[in-house]
Amino acid sequence: MRMASLLLLLFLALQPGCDPARHPSRPKTLLIGLDGVQLQHYLQLGDATNLEQRLYYGKAYAGGINGKASEQLTLSGPGWITLLTGVWSNKHGVESDDDSQRVNPAFPSLFKRLRLAYPNAYLSSIVNWSPINTAFLLEDAHDADVRESGLPDEQVIARTLQILGDTPADFTFIQLDEPDQIGHQRGYGEHYAQALRKADSEIGRLLDKVDQRRRMFPQEDWLVLVSTNHGRDYWGKGHGGASEQEKSIFIASNKPLNQELTELSIPVEMPGPGGLYGLPAQTSVAPTVLRHMGLKLQPEWLLDGTPLLGDTGVRKARADENKGRLRWNSNAKGYLTIIKNGHVVAQVAARDDQWIDPEGMDKQNDYVLVLDGT
């Protein structure tokens, strides 16, 4: 059976779009979603976890900017779809856990973008919490090669290990739900800690499988990302609000990530609760995957996050509508291009950190800031 699996992998690797001569390094991504994990409690498990021993990680934030158009509820539906699209709910359209909602086709998920770019890519979505697949991404990811829903966490892991072992596994997203379930039932405490230990152990099994595959196929370039959809309230039982705890998440990777994750960059006039907005946003996950998978990030996609691999571009781009002013953080020496509603309107020194729109911001506008190709 193992020989058959190896032959299948080799056959698929030689199909159109996967020519080793043209693509000596083949990017692969495993995105692991842990539902409702509070980083501070994860870290309390000690230094022997897979998070501490085998991954690079940093704090991040969910829920958009309080009081701005990007603000969204720290609920599961909005959180997962933000992770998978790279935009906040005011764009992707999933604003609650109501299973009648669908992702806005104008802001598609990783599944749709990767399918369009690589028609032969092997895409998988395996989740415990069904609405991710059966509601929000029902049409968007309908042609994924594997889409399985409502599986207990143990079966999610077993199925993922099978996919990593027996298929091309170009992009694989999985969602584990038990930490969130235990949190809702019991709040913080030993039961929640046990759920986190179990999830960490499952991460270790997946990392082992990826390491095994890398040894078998050294031309494959694997990115493993681990994140969560939201934090939890003070007691650990609820979420959905705009408190610092509920908005606090994390992003971890098997690869070193750039300064967006490793160096705090706080917007001076809008630091957020506890300086939260100096951290990377949840919207950085999707652009990181897209860049790793070889896609050039396009201005017309109107992504809300900056990638955590490669050049960051400008950081913390934001609008001060009252003053008709765009602001950002950057110490780059070059110039950035400002695109408004699809048209280039200015080129500004990146270190200026601001630009005033001579037409003001009374109407709804889309601004994109491009620096160093990001």
Side-chain angles (χ1 to χ4, degrees), residues 16-72:
C18 294
D19 182 356
R22 292 187 294 111
H23 302 284
S25 177
R26 293 200 292 274
K28 310 280 183 178
T29 298
L30 171 62
L31 175 55
I32 304 170
L34 305 180
D35 205 304
V37 169
Q38 197 80 53
L39 177 61
Q40 67 192 70
H41 288 265
Y42 197 167
L43 297 179
Q44 288 172 8
L45 300 182
D47 295 337
T49 62
N50 288 285
L51 178 70
E52 291 280 11
Q53 295 289 323
R54 304 174 70 177
L55 298 171
Y56 303 88
Y57 69 89
K59 297 178 182 179
Y61 73 91
I65 303 294
N66 293 349
K68 295 288 187 177
S70 65
E71 182 177 0
Q72 68 182 42

Side-chain angles (χ1 to χ4, degrees), residues 285-296:
V285 171
T288 303
V289 172
L290 292 169
R291 173 168 280 178
H292 173 73
M293 296 298 290
L295 277 70
K296 183 177 180 180

Side-chain angles (χ1 to χ4, degrees), residues 17-337:
C18 294
D19 182 356
R22 292 187 294 111
H23 302 284
S25 177
R26 293 200 292 274
K28 310 280 183 178
T29 298
L30 171 62
L31 175 55
I32 304 170
L34 305 180
D35 205 304
V37 169
Q38 197 80 53
L39 177 61
Q40 67 192 70
H41 288 265
Y42 197 167
L43 297 179
Q44 288 172 8
L45 300 182
D47 295 337
T49 62
N50 288 285
L51 178 70
E52 291 280 11
Q53 295 289 323
R54 304 174 70 177
L55 298 171
Y56 303 88
Y57 69 89
K59 297 178 182 179
Y61 73 91
I65 303 294
N66 293 349
K68 295 288 187 177
S70 65
E71 182 177 0
Q72 68 182 42
L73 300 175
T74 52
L75 295 173
S76 290
W80 288 127
I81 302 307
T82 291
L83 275 168
L84 290 167
T85 60
V87 298
W88 299 112
S89 64
N90 63 313
K91 292 181 180 178
H92 65 60
V94 178
E95 298 182 333
S96 71
D97 291 345
D98 184 339
D99 62 11
S100 68
Q101 297 179 98
R102 303 290 184 267
V103 69
N104 182 351
F107 297 96
S109 73
L110 291 168
F111 295 101
K112 180 68 73 175
R113 293 205 187 277
L114 291 171
R115 177 60 74 215
L116 290 173
Y118 305 117
N120 297 322
Y122 198 93
L123 311 178
S124 303
S125 181
I126 309 120
V127 303
N128 181 319
W129 192 58
S130 296
I132 298 171
N133 286 341
T134 61
F136 313 129
L137 298 180
L138 181 62
E139 292 88 8
D140 185 90
H142 76 278
D143 59 350
D145 297 87
V146 176
R147 189 170 59 167
E148 299 181 9
S149 311
L151 279 63
D153 283 6
E154 293 87 350
Q155 290 184 25
V156 171
I157 296 299
R159 190 71 176 96
T160 306
L161 291 171
Q162 181 183 14
I163 288 168
L164 294 177
D166 298 337
T167 79
D170 294 301
F171 172 70
T172 308
F173 167 69
I174 72 168
Q175 180 263 350
L176 303 175
D177 205 62
E178 286 185 15
D180 191 56
Q181 294 174 11
I182 296 299
H184 284 303
Q185 294 167 9
R186 297 177 176 270
Y188 297 134
E190 182 53 31
H191 289 90
Y192 186 69
Q194 288 176 3
L196 295 182
R197 289 190 192 98
K198 180 182 177 184
D200 183 76
S201 175
E202 290 164 338
I203 290 171
R205 293 175 64 193
L206 295 171
L207 291 172
D208 289 345
K209 193 67 174 180
V210 168
D211 288 345
Q212 180 189 53
R213 177 152 177 158
R214 290 168 63 189
R215 290 191 295 270
M216 294 170 59
F217 303 101
Q219 74 275 24
E220 293 184 351
D221 180 12
W222 276 90
L223 171 67
V224 180
L225 290 173
V226 183
S227 192
T228 188
N229 52 343
H230 54 71
R232 313 196 70 81
D233 64 18
Y234 179 80
W235 301 272
K237 284 196 170 185
H239 55 85
S243 69
E244 181 180 352
Q245 281 232 144
E246 290 164 283
K247 291 171 71 71
S248 295
I249 63 166
F250 71 96
I251 299 170
S253 170
N254 66 328
K255 291 177 175 286
L257 300 176
N258 63 26
Q259 63 181 358
E260 178 67 5
L261 189 76
T262 61
E263 297 179 13
L264 199 66
S265 181
I266 298 177
V268 291
E269 84 288 1
M270 190 177 61
L276 205 60
Y277 301 148
L279 301 172
Q282 190 175 49
T283 50
S284 285
V285 171
T288 303
V289 172
L290 292 169
R291 173 168 280 178
H292 173 73
M293 296 298 290
L295 277 70
K296 183 177 180 180
L297 305 178
Q298 302 296 327
E300 58 267 25
W301 293 350
L302 301 176
L303 299 174
D304 288 330
T306 190
L308 303 176
L309 289 171
D311 294 331
T312 63
V314 298
R315 303 174 64 191
K316 314 308 176 191
R318 55 204 187 270
D320 181 351
E321 293 92 343
N322 292 331
K323 297 182 179 179
R325 176 174 60 173
L326 295 179
R327 301 199 66 178
W328 60 86
N329 295 2
S330 179
N331 56 10
K333 296 180 180 179
Y335 285 79
L336 66 88
T337 299

